[in-house]
Amino acid sequence: MEDNGRFDEKSFSNGDVYMGMIKGILPHDQGKYTWSDGTVYEGDWEGEKITGKGLVLWSNGTQYEGEICGGYLHGYGTLTTSSGCSYRGGWKMNSQHGIGLKKYSNSDIYEGLWKEGVPEGSGRYTWNNGNIYVGNWKNGTIDGRGVMKWVNGDTFDGFWSNGVMHGSGVYNFGDGGLYIGTWNRGLKDGKGVFYPAGSKKPSLRILHSPHDSDDNGFLLNIEKHDAPKPRVKRSLSANIAVINRFKSFRQISHRTSSLKINLIRSDDSAQDCVCHDSSLALSNDLDEDQSEGSVKSTLVYEREYAQGVLIMERISECSESSRKKKQQNKFSVKQVKKSSCLDIFQGRRSYYLKLNLQLGIRYTVGKITPVPAREVRSSDFGDRARIRMYFPRTGSKLTPPHCSINFYWKDYCPMVFRNLREMFKLDAADYMMSICGESGLRDLSSPGKSGSIFYLSKDDRFVIKTVNKSELKVLLRMLPKYYRHVGDHENTLITKFFGLHRITLRGGKKVRFVVMGNVFCTELQIHRRYDLKGSSQGRYTDNDKINCNTTLKDLDLKYEFHMDKKLRESLLKQISLDCKFLESQHIIDYSLLLGLHFRAPENMKAFVEHHESMQHQENLPSGDVKEEEHLILPKGLLLVSHEPSIVNTAPGPHIRGNTLRAYSMGDSEVDLLLPGTARLRVQLGVNMPAQATRKIEEDKVAKEVELFEVYDVVLYMGVIDILQSYNLKKKIEHSYKSLKFDPMTVSVVEPKMYDQRFLKFLEEKVFPETP
């Protein structure tokens, strides 16, 4: 006859007491366990395991009622602390996880998604003073797209990073004013447009459906969550002695209270909230616009900011046509230039192309990642090293159904690119989420004349570019040597390749893609971009085509960059090694992509004062002229000894590479300290400090006086466009035999000559040696 257990009471030598059902010698079904310190558990048991639904009362007044698995809070339940803080929602191994509602002791409320004890994903946070934020969270802070509404009526709808506004956005003032622009670490940075109260506002695209909003007009991405049916998970517990499990369970209150370190305080102060201080400070940062917006006007103000300081303002008429043009140029995704490879996609070509690409990459990475890691073999580079798959709209045994068009997928050299991603310290899951996540890919306009399509991943880490058949062949041919080169040179500036793919549509139309690292995925905003080849033939940009996002060319560069002696040596040495490799592969027409972050406005302001003082001194008697030392312009960016525990070492596009050594710091590894902004690790091509000098045109100053503008800048760079074969270029050249090519002004030159010209240009014109 089966033993269903018996009701009994058992006391232990340490003062603990169990009262309930016992089967054999173990608790079973229902029971109550009281520890000697007053903590009590009453609920379901399975052998020595606390599993099922139950109630825990800790001696400090905290209580939990809900699901428990293997001695952990796991499932759905409600936790209430003695300080008045409560959480109701999902749990995973003693941490809030899933959808949940938390009320803090200071009356703040968060409702949304959690991950391992902190808000992660979509959520709504309401402060006790009435401020509300609805949007994305990451690791417990506001991060991603979201809407903040202050109690004074101000509203910001845009992008956030680490609790502050960062990226493009729209700020609506309570008095009716409107500012559209970009922010950098909570400060306005870059160009924007301000519409005063009373002026006609631009027609902004409706972003949210009214059915998805609450009473305040905010977007709600959170599904309504009802308490799930009781469930008991039994597979996570280990078979240990009953007394040891009881002692282990006594630690739940301590582990649970540890969750309160970041989100719950013992007092009722405003410090309870996750990002209380940084969020509330935002409205004060924009008071200057609010005060101006109180005056009714038909004018708009085109402004440019540098790290929160207004450096340029132009007043223009508030016309509908000009507003639409500016809005399209500044804040909307640019339209891709029409090209032959786009014609195959009809009206929704870009949407289908991106969707097919995401489906293929998700399939490929998911298929190759479980394969045990190993060194690449010669066969991994061969013609048979391919993954092929057909993706019908209705799905198949191996592919999911989708809303795109039927297509064939080919992945080239999957094991090689899997090892390259690991070599560049990319996590497979992060790679897939970045490219294949819900936010999708963004269209970019082509910076050159190739007609290629460019996509940018949601986190700006990856650039995806279409390539033609000849470029694909060049990459496959050079791939074995490329793999060896990037393996031998950790600091290489050559383009990082992460995948090579092909999509074939019905009718045989083919589109080929390469996935690359984004050189300009940086913590600082890039204010100027240059594509440098060391040539003068056609290497300029028309003034009417220049805006804040234009990539300029050789003849547009008016600066020379002076940097630490050791940094310059390391940079030019690596560029030389990279050029030698490209020369060995008969590659020409490559470029140095150079990005500048200006440390403004202090340096800009210093020059204006200096320039005005120089003009003023020309009119003063010789005895009244100030000493020269008072006219010295910026002292340079501050380098400090490298501290790995202080700088950000989270995985990113530039995580691979050594920390550079600086001559000015005794040949020791250095960080770049930017007060009030960040402390950054100095790497080759990343976070490199320099002084940019530009000679003032002679017609603006006296000819006997030589004046320079001097700016502190941070440099970012990489060698790009490395898929142009010399042999292919020569075929093109031979078709124009009647033309006389000057090897110093055109790109169709021998690889060795191109290499020499490129290096000479960089050494003498771009990064000259400091006297």
Side-chain angles (χ1 to χ4, degrees), residues 293-466:
S294 60
V295 180
K296 292 187 178 296
S297 174
T298 59
L299 303 177
V300 297
Y301 299 82
E302 298 179 7
R303 294 176 172 176
E304 183 172 1
Y305 289 86
Q307 297 164 20
V309 176
L310 182 65
I311 60 174
M312 187 278 292
E313 182 177 78
R314 184 174 62 184
I315 301 176
S316 61
E317 290 292 335
C318 185
S319 64
E320 185 70 21
S321 59
S322 63
R323 277 200 309 272
K324 289 184 177 179
K325 183 176 180 181
K326 293 186 179 94
Q327 187 70 12
Q328 179 179 359
N329 290 340
K330 295 178 183 297
F331 308 111
S332 299
V333 176
K334 294 185 178 180
Q335 298 297 319
V336 180
K337 293 181 180 180
K338 187 174 182 179
S339 177
S340 58
C341 70
L342 290 178
D343 296 336
I344 58 180
F345 286 98
Q346 305 296 326
R348 303 189 70 189
R349 56 194 176 214
S350 182
Y351 169 77
Y352 290 140
L353 196 59
K354 289 185 287 188
L355 183 56
N356 293 353
L357 185 63
Q358 291 175 312
L359 288 167
I361 290 178
R362 186 183 293 116
Y363 173 81
T364 297
V365 176
K367 186 177 180 65
I368 196 67
T369 299
V371 177
R374 60 171 174 81
E375 290 295 325
V376 295
R377 307 164 184 158
S378 58
S379 59
D380 293 323
F381 297 95
D383 294 338
R384 302 190 54 155
R386 309 286 188 267
I387 292 179
R388 297 174 175 86
M389 182 53 60
Y390 176 57
F391 285 80
R393 291 193 64 176
T394 56
S396 66
K397 292 182 179 179
L398 299 176
T399 63
H402 57 85
C403 55
S404 182
I405 54 181
N406 300 342
F407 69 97
Y408 289 89
W409 173 263
K410 179 187 282 189
D411 185 70
Y412 295 89
C413 305
M415 182 57 72
V416 175
F417 285 105
R418 172 242 175 99
N419 283 17
L420 281 172
R421 290 193 293 268
E422 292 180 351
M423 188 184 300
F424 291 123
K425 301 184 179 181
L426 282 179
D427 178 75
D430 289 342
Y431 180 69
M432 274 199 301
M433 288 302 298
S434 177
I435 296 176
C436 308
E438 294 181 0
S439 299
L441 302 171
R442 308 202 305 271
D443 298 81
L444 294 177
S445 62
S446 172
K449 300 179 180 179
S450 64
S452 297
I453 308 171
F454 285 82
Y455 296 130
L456 190 64
S457 64
K458 66 171 185 176
D459 54 7
D460 295 341
R461 294 173 64 182
F462 306 105
V463 174
I464 302 176
K465 174 189 176 184
T466 58

Side-chain angles (χ1 to χ4, degrees), residues 662-677:
Y663 178 81
S664 59
M665 293 293 292
D667 202 28
S668 61
E669 294 183 343
V670 293
D671 296 333
L672 175 60
L673 185 62
L674 305 176
T677 304

